[in-house]
Amino acid sequence: MSDATVFIPRRVRAQAFMPQCSIKTDVAIVHRSRWGKMEKSDTQKDRLLMTHQKWLEDPPQRSRTTEDLQIALRHRIREVLLPLIAGRGERIHLIDPPEHPNVGDCAILLGESDFFKRELPGSQVAFHDWSTYSPSSDRHIERASVLLMHGGGNFGDIYPHHHEFRLKILRRFPNRPTIQLSQSIHFDSPAVLQETRDAIAAHSDFTLLARDTKSEAFARANFDCQVVLCPDMAFAMDRIVRKPANVDAFCLLRTDKEAVAPHEEIKRQLNQMGLSAEARDWLDDPRTAARLGDILFSKFTRKFPAAYPLLAPLALIARRRYAETRLRVGIDLLSRGRIVVTDRLHAHILSTLLGIPNVVFRSFDAKAAAFYDTWTHAAPICRLADGPSDMVHAVQAVMPPK
């Protein structure tokens, strides 16, 4: 029986795939240390560590289906986030959701938004990003019962303006409960790392969700805060569906400063295998109505901060619609191939969610390999490649028959 035709009841699939250990926490056992920082009791820390260890010691097997993986990772997100937000999800302020066209960040935002809608339907959600924030925004952020920082791969010094904004918020709201949603971590500068350590150490209630075990280990070694392993928030999105393929292999390859894969060599290797191939990136940003609407509300939010309470719900709708248009671009591109070859983490993640066999290369900062090694290595349609020479065997392993 093929992977696509295996049927296992949904509840059984989730239970079979996930570690048989709960991460649920009891807020009654949270206490303050003598420095005033919110800390978890030993019992609570033990529960978190048990879950992490169980996941690592009992990795999922390739014989389980790709749908099992999707269900399990969504369950994991719920299991991690709900206890952290419990009792303080009335007014959520999302910090730095993407205002740019990167499809991966837009998929993360939609996962965050769908999670709020599905799991926290009574919550009021507002946001500020690095481009709309001004000191006058503080009074609106201060009203939040919890701050949730947008997930992704910008925790560190690869994209300085996003990380500087993150640190600014931590310093300006040192006593506001703050959760950094799932991030990969990368630092080249010791000075920026120390600055980050200081901002976190000075915060009284900060939790960092690491989206791979490499980032988790780094965070535990360097930051004075609670650290929890959690999948990328794109896995919290509502179901997405692929479109018909046009070529054998679609290569979604980076053209930004994180690019490492040699585009022409990859296409040449695929052609030598007798496969038709197409290569593109997904950073184009046409001025669609959704994009113009998002820009308009962002400008109004910054220019008229007093009107923020009225503008905030409309701005959030505009930002979501823009993210939806970018996700559709990503789905259209990835669906072009019977398989996808990529060096973008979220092309790998979205292909997996769409059920498209895919091969992912090690990325500039190793975040793609770290995520694959932590979560998606179990999916039968996913493979990791070190480079074009290693790609051939990976493509052969996942290429579906015509």
Side-chain angles (χ1 to χ4, degrees):
M1 187 175 292
S2 70
D3 178 61
T5 58
V6 173
F7 176 79
I8 308 172
R10 182 174 297 270
R11 183 179 298 276
V12 174
R13 285 198 300 261
Q15 291 174 348
F17 195 92
M18 289 298 295
Q20 300 303 305
C21 175
S22 176
I23 197 171
K24 293 181 180 179
T25 55
D26 182 356
V27 294
I29 58 177
V30 177
H31 63 275
R32 287 190 180 272
S33 71
R34 56 195 173 110
W35 295 281
K37 180 167 286 193
M38 297 296 288
E39 293 187 342
K40 303 295 181 187
S41 75
D42 289 341
T43 301
Q44 212 169 11
K45 291 175 183 175
D46 288 345
R47 288 174 182 168
L48 293 170
L49 290 172
M50 284 172 61
T51 302
H52 299 165
Q53 191 63 29
K54 181 67 174 175
W55 179 270
L56 296 176
E57 290 177 354
D58 184 25
Q61 303 298 313
R62 286 197 186 276
S63 59
R64 292 168 180 166
T65 69
T66 303
E67 187 179 359
D68 289 341
L69 177 70
Q70 297 171 9
I71 294 169
L73 297 195
R74 178 183 285 197
H75 178 74
R76 170 77 176 188
I77 290 169
R78 184 178 187 275
E79 196 174 40
V80 168
L81 263 184
L82 285 185
L84 292 173
I85 301 176
R88 49 192 187 185
E90 180 185 355
R91 292 182 303 278
I92 294 171
H93 210 98
L94 186 61
I95 301 298
D96 211 23
E99 88 300 344
H100 52 79
N102 185 293
V103 173
D105 277 310
C106 291
I108 294 171
L109 173 58
L110 292 173
E112 293 163 348
S113 177
D114 289 344
F115 179 87
F116 301 152
K117 177 180 64 178
R118 189 171 57 245
E119 307 291 351
L120 302 162
S123 297
Q124 300 174 29
V125 182
F127 77 91
H128 276 92
D129 59 52
W130 72 278
S131 66
T132 60
Y133 173 83
S134 67
S136 61
S137 306
D138 284 1
R139 66 180 182 271
H140 304 299
I141 299 175
E142 187 67 44
R143 294 185 61 250
S145 52
V146 65
L147 305 183
L148 298 183
M149 294 182 162
H150 175 68
N154 60 24
F155 197 102
D157 48 21
I158 297 179
Y159 298 97
H161 53 284
H162 290 292
H163 194 63
E164 288 166 5
F165 180 52
R166 177 182 292 112
L167 299 185
K168 178 185 289 187
I169 295 297
L170 288 176
R171 294 188 190 106
R172 295 184 81 91
F173 303 95
N175 299 308
R176 186 66 46 193
T178 303
I179 302 169
Q180 171 61 70
L181 297 174
S182 305
Q183 278 272 356
S184 299
I185 302 173
H186 181 88
F187 286 91
D188 287 319
S189 167
V192 177
L193 175 57
Q194 187 58 52
E195 188 180 9
T196 305
R197 284 193 189 109
D198 294 342
I200 291 175
H203 200 281
S204 67
D205 190 2
F206 178 69
T207 300
L208 194 162
L209 306 188
R211 70 178 177 185
D212 58 71
T213 52
K214 179 183 175 184
S215 296
E216 179 197 19
F218 183 92
R220 290 186 183 280
N222 286 278
F223 304 133
D224 180 19
C225 64
Q226 180 180 205
V227 178
V228 185
L229 184 66
C230 185
D232 188 90
M233 287 299 294
F235 280 95
M237 276 195 303
D238 291 343
R239 184 170 179 265
I240 55 176
V241 181
R242 71 161 300 163
K243 296 182 178 180
N246 303 102
V247 295
D248 291 324
F250 182 79
C251 306
L252 198 296
L253 301 173
R254 303 190 79 111
T255 55
D256 59 8
K257 63 183 178 180
E258 294 186 59
V260 293
H263 296 196
E264 291 306 315
E265 175 64 13
I266 290 169
K267 286 181 65 179
R268 186 183 68 80
Q269 290 271 12
L270 291 167
N271 291 155
Q272 286 183 347
M273 295 175 66
L275 302 176
S276 58
E278 178 185 350
R280 288 178 60 183
D281 200 0
W282 58 21
L283 293 181
D284 62 305
D285 190 20
R287 292 303 172 110
T288 61
R291 177 58 167 156
L292 293 174
D294 182 59
I295 292 172
L296 177 66
F297 279 109
S298 294
K299 286 182 176 179
F300 268 74
T301 298
R302 187 174 180 86
K303 190 171 183 179
F304 304 107
Y308 180 79
L310 295 175
L311 292 172
L314 298 175
L316 188 64
I317 291 171
R319 181 62 55 91
R320 180 179 171 92
R321 284 182 177 169
Y322 176 55
E324 289 171 341
T325 64
R326 297 306 301 162
L327 178 65
R328 284 195 291 271
V329 168
I331 292 173
D332 288 347
L333 287 173
L334 297 173
S335 295
R336 292 184 62 78
R338 293 172 55 224
I339 67 165
V340 167
V341 176
T342 187
D343 58 354
R344 281 194 176 276
L345 172 59
H346 278 90
H348 164 62
I349 289 175
L350 289 177
S351 296
T352 303
L353 288 169
L354 290 165
I356 303 174
N358 62 92
V359 175
V360 61
F361 291 110
R362 295 185 184 275
S363 56
F364 162 79
D365 55 358
K367 64 186 177 187
F371 190 87
Y372 175 90
D373 289 341
T374 305
W375 307 107
T376 51
H377 66 277
I381 61 171
C382 301
R383 291 295 187 276
L384 178 69
D386 291 322
S389 60
D390 185 42
M391 174 192 70
V392 174
H393 296 299
V395 169
Q396 290 172 339
V398 299
M399 192 74 195
K402 288 188 178 180

